[in-house]
């Protein structure tokens, strides 16, 4: 009997890294760069922040692996096509709901990204916030319309830069604040009121928050040729995201309880450790994060929406440009709510929706679908 050709094939690790970088680029946005979301979900759990991020990203890696394997076996390279596969035969009902939620989440993500850029440009250069938001929208559109190959390469380059900035700033902060940090860890410090159930739910909810990023990886996964590439992309992504999250949450842990309730707790931690240099470090880091997130979100949404563009528009870049402009204008409008308004309001409800819309189906239903499809492909290969 012939062996599965997909398992025999040698993996392209460069492609796997690029796909992991798309995941990382979509993840490292304003909530990550400011430390706001990481502080709430992980640093707020005390010494448990030492292990929670990696466990969360391993769980997230399973979601991403299922998304990529479903896309590979069924040649479903948009999130809607993946949804149709997973939720069949109920996809005609569930699919439109997923479309609405995904578009709304994309608007929120773009709104946060553009709002953060506007805030930075206003504080650094005195520009009106609308100018900074529009500038980030233009950068995202220009890169996104040149397609998934460029998106993968740009995300790979930006990920290297982001990793370098994160490692230098976080390791420096942890080293200089080690005595305080070690005290919290060895004493197993947990803030009052935090229970095991809280910790479990924070892991699930943050996984749900990140699960929406699988849409962007699916849009860039049409170059995957074998299961090993999906597997390595999930491994690289889990390690990359989990390790960087751990460094950030530990950097903030040295400054509890002061960082609790802050809009930018990670920036505060850097400022306390590196006074004078923090403004430059922060500007470089956050602008790279915003550019990476803006590109991946715009491209992922435009890739799906290009199916709605009239067939008379034949040029690929034009089919991507039209929805990119529409989504970006909507994102700029949403950014008027401001960072705090977006994080404290609409975003928190999305996490609960994504538990049932992505996390559970992708972990438990998707594997049954893509394994069945792979068996069919194997049988066809044996008969040919």
């Amino acid at each position: 009997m012939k062996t599965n050709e997909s398992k025999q094939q040698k993996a392209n690790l460069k492609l796997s890294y690029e796909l992991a970088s798309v995941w990382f680029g979509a993840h490292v946005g304003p909530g990550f760069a400011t430390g706001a979301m990481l502080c709430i979900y992980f640093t707020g759990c005390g010494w448990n922040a030492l292990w929670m991020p990696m466990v969360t990203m391993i769980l997230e890696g399973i979601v991403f692996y299922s998304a990529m394997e479903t896309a590979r076996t069924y040649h479903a390279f948009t999130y809607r096509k993946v949804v149709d596969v997973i939720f069949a035969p109920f996809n005609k009902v569930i699919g439109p709901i997923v479309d609405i939620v995904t578009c709304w989440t994309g608007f929120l993500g773009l709104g946060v990204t553009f709002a953060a850029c506007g805030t930075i440009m206003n504080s650094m250069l005195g520009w009106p916030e609308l100018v900074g938001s529009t500038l980030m929208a233009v950068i995202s559109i220009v890169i996104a319309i040149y397609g998934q190959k460029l998106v993968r390469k740009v995300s790979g380059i930006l990920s290297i830069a982001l990793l370098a900035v994160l490692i230098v700033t976080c390791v420096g902060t942890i080293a200089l604040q080690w005595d305080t940090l070690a005290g919290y860890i060895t004493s197993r410090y947990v803030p009052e009121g935090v229970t095991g159930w809280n910790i479990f739910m924070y892991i699930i909810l943050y996984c749900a928050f990140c699960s929406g990023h699988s849409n962007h990886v699916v849009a860039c996964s049409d170059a995957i040729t074998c299961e090993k590439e999906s597997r390595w992309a999930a491994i690289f992504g889990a390690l990359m995201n989990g390790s960087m999250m751990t460094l950030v949450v530990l950097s903030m842990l040295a400054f509890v309880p002061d960082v609790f309730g802050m809009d930018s707790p990670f920036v505060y931690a850097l400022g306390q450790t590196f006074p004078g240099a923090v403004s430059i470090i922060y500007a470089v880091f956050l602008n790279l994060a915003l550019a990476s997130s803006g590109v991946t979100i715009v491209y992922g949404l435009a890739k799906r929406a290009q199916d709605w563009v009239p067939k008379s528009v034949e040029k690929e870049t034009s089919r991507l440009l039209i929805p990119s402009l529409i989504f970006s204008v909507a994102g700029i409008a949403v950014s008027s709510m401001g960072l705090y308004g977006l994080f404290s309001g609409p975003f928190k409800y999305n996490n609960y929706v994504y538990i049932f819309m992505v996390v559970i189906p992708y972990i438990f239903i998707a594997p049954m679908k893509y394994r069945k499809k792979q068996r069919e492909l194997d049988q066809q290969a044996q008969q040919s």
Side-chain angles (χ1 to χ4, degrees):
M1 180 179 294
K2 292 184 180 180
T3 307
N4 183 350
E5 183 179 351
S6 176
K7 293 182 179 179
Q8 283 185 326
Q9 188 171 344
K10 185 177 180 180
N12 181 349
L13 296 184
K14 181 175 180 293
L15 172 65
S16 296
Y17 168 75
E18 289 176 350
L19 290 169
S21 298
V22 171
W23 171 8
F24 184 69
H27 181 197
V28 183
F32 189 114
T34 61
M37 292 194 72
L38 296 179
C39 187
I40 293 171
Y41 285 88
F42 302 111
T43 304
C45 294
W47 80 276
N48 295 290
L50 186 65
W51 59 269
M52 287 174 65
M54 189 59 72
V55 170
T56 305
M57 288 300 102
I58 290 173
L59 183 62
E60 192 65 43
I62 298 173
V63 173
F64 274 71
Y65 172 80
S66 291
M68 288 183 287
E69 277 300 278
T70 303
R72 179 183 69 83
T73 55
Y74 283 89
H75 294 278
F77 300 116
T78 66
Y79 75 85
R80 179 54 192 272
K81 290 179 180 178
V82 170
V83 166
D84 286 342
V85 169
I86 294 175
F87 289 101
F90 307 106
N91 53 296
K92 292 186 181 296
V93 175
I94 298 177
I97 298 174
V98 174
D99 269 339
I100 293 171
V101 174
T102 300
C103 288
W104 173 241
T105 304
F107 293 154
L108 293 180
L110 286 178
V112 168
T113 300
F114 297 161
C117 185
T119 300
I120 294 172
M121 293 303 180
N122 178 263
S123 61
M124 290 178 59
L125 304 175
W127 294 0
E129 293 188 3
L130 180 61
V131 173
S133 299
T134 304
L135 176 62
M136 181 54 65
V138 171
I139 292 173
S140 300
I141 291 171
V142 169
I143 297 177
I145 62 174
Y146 284 99
Q148 51 87 18
K149 184 175 181 180
L150 180 58
V151 171
R152 287 200 303 264
K153 292 186 180 296
V154 168
S155 293
I157 294 170
L158 289 178
S159 292
I160 293 174
L162 290 172
L163 284 168
V165 173
L166 273 171
I167 290 171
V168 170
T169 56
C170 290
V171 170
T173 300
I174 292 172
L176 293 174
Q177 305 295 336
W178 177 249
D179 289 342
T180 302
L181 184 59
Y184 283 129
I185 294 175
T186 55
S187 65
R188 297 198 171 189
Y189 162 77
V190 177
E192 186 177 354
V194 175
T195 66
W197 176 252
N198 295 140
I199 292 172
F200 171 76
M201 284 306 301
Y202 279 137
I203 290 174
I204 299 300
L205 286 171
Y206 197 86
C207 179
F209 164 72
C210 292
S211 66
H213 301 151
S214 63
N215 298 338
H216 312 305
V217 175
V218 165
C220 295
S221 63
D222 57 348
I224 296 177
T225 59
C226 63
E227 181 272 339
K228 290 180 181 178
E229 290 170 351
S230 299
R231 188 195 321 162
W232 279 109
I235 292 172
F236 288 155
L239 291 175
M240 190 185 303
N241 285 276
S243 59
M244 292 304 101
M245 288 169 61
T246 301
L247 289 176
V248 173
V249 299
L250 290 182
S251 297
M252 295 186 290
L253 183 61
F255 296 94
V256 298
D258 294 345
V259 294
F260 294 156
M262 287 186 173
D263 291 331
S264 303
F266 180 53
V267 179
Y268 172 82
L270 293 180
Q272 295 297 306
T273 307
F274 304 105
V278 67
S279 59
I280 298 175
I281 295 172
Y282 174 70
V284 172
F285 172 76
L286 190 49
N287 276 294
L288 287 171
L290 293 173
S292 184
S293 288
V295 169
T296 50
I297 293 173
V298 168
Y299 179 75
L301 290 171
K303 182 72 172 178
R304 167 66 181 102
Q306 71 173 345
D307 293 340
W308 304 334
V309 177
K311 294 182 179 180
S312 58
V313 181
E314 298 179 355
K315 193 175 180 180
E316 179 70 12
T317 54
S318 298
R319 295 183 65 82
L320 288 172
L321 175 60
I322 294 172
S324 293
L325 285 171
I326 294 173
F327 283 122
S328 294
V329 170
I332 293 173
V334 171
S335 71
S336 63
M337 294 178 63
L339 283 173
Y340 179 79
L342 287 166
F343 278 129
S344 62
F347 253 109
K348 68 179 182 181
Y349 301 110
N350 273 33
N351 295 346
Y352 289 99
V353 174
Y354 270 88
I355 289 175
F356 299 99
M357 195 176 77
V358 181
V359 176
I360 293 175
Y362 280 49
I363 290 178
F364 296 103
I365 301 177
M368 294 187 290
K369 296 293 182 76
Y370 67 70
R371 286 170 185 164
K372 178 181 178 181
K373 184 65 174 180
Q374 187 61 61
R375 287 194 295 269
E376 293 175 359
L377 294 173
D378 292 342
Q379 291 174 357
Q380 292 173 7
Q382 291 171 8
Q383 294 171 359
S384 61

